[in-house]
């Protein structure tokens, strides 16, 4: 099946039905979810109309074709992130993938992987900047196993340092879980350093790649992380599907969090033997159409080239930062002006609640995100309940940012906060 018949033109807003339909609005909320290009929607549509069937079941021609498309999608996604095909497991989203790792590890002692089991005296290290999706599963794993959860602190800008992480990681550390890119600050973590520190301590690494896979060239194999998670809907694909990455030999040992049809070799009334990864994790009927869309999105981004995507977003990030820094009484969160950051900018407007800022911008046709962005510990450290976030993607234009800049310049006056 040919999912992308024409080579995508980078930054072509007119390739996106949502952006065509909402031509009078600036969509600056791609860190929450991204818009899908025609090519991805067409791939989903074509598959659903002409090839849809259950995968990995039975021996019909229909199943064979659908399985071929499903596995083809896996292959594209694996290639996109520098993984082997057996190292990509389909999950509902990144949140689900992270839970699958944590739940699997919590079963390790009783499910044939005692060397992966955690217990009292063991430590799990996260950072204070984590999205709740990469925090709560580890809280639960710690409770279930008696291990201790420790957090690398963030400073008043919401940033953590490798030195602080190195000071917390010890021979007691069994796992280090951290975001490649913070969804609040746009900070890009020094993954190689963390992998080295964790490796020297004999700890596993889990990379939350939710905000990096869509935006940066990513080679998980070369980075050397043990596990990673990312979502299709943040990288031009549909909702309802994401990926769990794991090094093949680890995935074959990790107990499957969910069990049932399609995961097994033999089943008796008392016991079951499981297939190797990825099948051992993909229980039940799979979201095949979504997988095809996810694969088409990875292919679409690959054809544009992730170096180009990153270069464009770095440019947009610079413009967003300038827009925020130019307004008196508006404080930037995260890396300083000029420092490297991903294509998103969060900020606090002195004297105006983030929700009012969001409403004001929305009324002027600018979609941003307000709230704690599922990172309450980080916001607690910043001393605010909520921030406003503007985020860019491959289709974001300088016009979008200019419109945002013009509106932001008026927000404090509108609410009488500059008097
Ligand atoms: N981690 C990060 C850094 C995120 O930005 C998000 C989405 N906001 C998630 C995890 C969770 O992603 P999803 O909701 O797609 O599972």
């Amino acid at each position: 099946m040919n999912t992308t018949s024409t080579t995508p033109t980078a930054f072509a807003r007119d390739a996106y039905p949502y952006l065509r339909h909402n031509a009078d609005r600036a969509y600056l909320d791609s860190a929450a979810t991204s818009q899908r290009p025609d090519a991805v929607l067409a791939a989903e549509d074509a598959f659903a109309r002409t090839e849809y069937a259950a995968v990995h079941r039975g021996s019909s021609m229909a199943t064979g074709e659908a399985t071929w498309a499903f596995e083809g999608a896996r292959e594209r996604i694996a290639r996109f992130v520098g993984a082997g095909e057996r190292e990509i497991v389909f999950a509902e989203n990144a949140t689900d993938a992270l839970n699958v790792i944590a739940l699997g590890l919590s079963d390790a002692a009783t499910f044939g992987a005692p060397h992966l089991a955690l217990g009292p005296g063991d430590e799990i290290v996260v950072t204070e900047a984590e999205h709740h999706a990469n925090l709560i599963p580890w809280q639960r794993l710690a409770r279930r196993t008696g291990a201790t959860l420790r957090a690398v602190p963030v400073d008043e800008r919401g940033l953590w340092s490798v030195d602080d992480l190195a000071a917390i990681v010890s021979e007691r550390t069994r796992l280090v879980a951290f975001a490649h890119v913070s969804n609040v600050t746009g900070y890009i973590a020094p993954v190689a350093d963390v992998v080295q520190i964790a490796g020297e301590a004999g700890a596993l690494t889990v990379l939350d790649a939710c905000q990096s896979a869509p935006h940066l060239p990513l080679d998980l194999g070369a980075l050397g992380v043990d596990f990673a998670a990312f979502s299709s809907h943040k990288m031009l694909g549909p909702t309802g599907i994401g990926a769990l990455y794991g090094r093949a030999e680890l995935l074959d040992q990790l107990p499957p969090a969910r069990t049932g049809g399609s995961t097994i070799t033999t089943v008796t009334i008392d016991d079951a033997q499981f297939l190797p990864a990825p099948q051992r994790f993909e229980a039940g009927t799979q979201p095949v159409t979504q997988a095809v869309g996810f694969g088409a999105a990875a292919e679409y981004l690959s054809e544009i080239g992730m170096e180009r995507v990153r270069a464009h977003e770095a440019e947009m990030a610079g413009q967003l930062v300038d827009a925020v820094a130019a307004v008196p009484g508006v404080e930037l969160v995260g890396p300083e002006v000029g420092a490297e950051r991903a294509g998103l900018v969060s900020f606090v407007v002195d004297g105006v609640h983030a929700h009012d800022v969001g409403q004001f911008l929305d009324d002027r046709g600018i979609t941003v995100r307000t709230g704690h962005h599922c990172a309450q510990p980080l916001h607690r450290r910043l001393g605010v309940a909520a921030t406003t976030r503007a985020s860019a993607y491959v289709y974001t234009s300088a016009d979008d940012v200019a419109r945002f800049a013009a509106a932001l310049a008026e927000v404090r006056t509108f609410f009488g906060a500059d008097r």
Side-chain angles (χ1 to χ4, degrees):
M1 187 183 57
N2 187 4
T3 50
T4 46
S5 52
T6 52
T7 301
T9 312
F11 329 126
R13 291 170 59 87
D14 59 1
Y16 296 79
Y18 178 92
L19 301 178
R20 292 199 298 270
H21 184 73
N22 297 282
D24 58 335
R25 294 190 64 86
Y27 183 78
L28 292 174
D29 199 17
S30 294
T33 200
S34 60
Q35 298 301 336
R36 275 174 283 175
D38 287 307
V40 169
L41 291 161
E44 290 175 52
D45 188 62
F47 176 80
R49 285 174 193 274
T50 62
E51 290 180 83
Y52 175 76
V55 296
H56 290 302
R57 298 202 174 191
S59 55
S60 64
M61 191 183 87
T63 281
E65 274 181 5
T67 302
W68 191 77
F70 185 67
E71 292 305 324
R74 192 194 310 276
E75 198 183 308
R76 289 169 170 191
I77 295 155
R79 212 181 313 124
F80 180 71
V81 295
E85 263 174 71
R86 289 218 310 115
E87 297 179 320
I88 293 293
V89 173
F90 286 120
E92 282 173 29
N93 46 37
T95 304
D96 183 50
L98 291 162
N99 275 283
V100 165
I101 305 166
L103 286 167
L105 290 174
S106 73
D107 256 354
T110 53
F111 203 90
H115 56 292
L116 294 178
L118 283 80
D122 290 336
E123 294 182 353
I124 301 167
V125 172
V126 295
T127 85
E128 220 177 8
E130 296 314 307
H131 188 284
H132 298 163
N134 197 32
L135 173 61
I136 304 171
W138 309 120
Q139 293 175 351
R140 296 289 295 274
L141 176 61
R143 292 238 178 110
R144 284 196 185 97
T145 60
T148 303
L149 184 70
R150 303 196 61 189
V152 182
V154 294
D155 64 15
E156 65 287 350
R157 305 187 74 95
L159 308 176
W160 54 272
S161 76
V162 175
D163 288 348
D164 286 343
L165 180 123
I168 284 183
V169 172
S170 73
E171 74 284 353
R172 288 184 298 279
T173 310
R174 300 295 311 284
L175 185 141
V176 180
F178 65 109
H180 193 172
V181 170
S182 162
N183 64 313
V184 181
T185 65
Y187 172 69
I188 303 173
V191 181
D193 292 342
V194 180
V195 167
Q196 191 185 337
I197 293 162
E200 282 166 8
L204 294 172
T205 45
V206 179
L207 187 70
D208 175 355
C210 228
Q211 298 289 350
S212 61
H215 304 287
L216 314 174
L218 185 63
D219 187 335
L220 292 170
L223 284 176
V225 293
D226 293 306
F227 294 106
F230 52 100
S231 283
S232 153
H233 71 92
K234 293 191 197 280
M235 48 177 279
L236 310 182
T239 52
I241 193 148
L244 156 62
Y245 161 84
R247 288 198 294 108
E249 66 271 27
L250 271 173
L251 278 185
D252 285 341
Q253 297 162 28
L254 184 71
R258 286 182 253 299
T259 55
S262 300
T263 61
I264 48 77
T265 51
T266 45
V267 180
T268 61
I269 211 68
D270 301 317
D271 204 7
Q273 304 304 315
F274 289 84
L275 286 159
Q279 268 72 37
R280 71 202 257 114
F281 296 102
E282 294 175 358
T285 305
Q286 294 298 295
V288 196
T289 310
Q290 289 85 337
V292 168
F294 190 5
E299 195 71 0
Y300 190 86
L301 286 167
S302 300
E303 286 181 16
I304 293 173
M306 290 307 289
E307 298 287 352
R308 290 175 74 197
V309 172
R310 171 63 189 143
H312 176 69
E313 288 184 31
E315 167 81 24
M316 292 299 110
Q319 293 181 15
L320 285 168
V321 166
D322 289 347
V324 170
V327 187
V330 177
E331 197 188 335
L332 189 64
V333 170
E336 293 183 17
V337 179
E340 197 189 14
R341 64 159 69 221
L344 65 90
V345 172
S346 298
F347 53 92
V348 179
V349 179
D350 188 26
V352 187
H353 194 281
H355 293 166
D356 289 332
V357 176
Q359 186 66 57
F360 175 85
L361 294 174
D362 205 44
D363 290 346
R364 279 148 191 80
I366 301 150
T367 305
V368 293
R369 167 88 192 265
T370 59
H372 53 63
H373 315 295
C374 300
Q376 284 187 7
L378 172 67
H379 279 79
R380 203 163 291 123
R381 187 54 70 111
L382 295 175
V384 291
T387 52
T388 306
R389 180 185 70 193
S391 53
Y393 206 1
V394 60
Y395 42 67
T396 304
S397 69
D399 285 349
D400 293 332
V401 181
R403 189 164 174 182
F404 164 76
L408 190 66
E410 291 171 18
V411 71
R412 293 189 76 236
T413 308
F414 181 86
F415 286 102
D418 59 349
R419 269 179 253 131

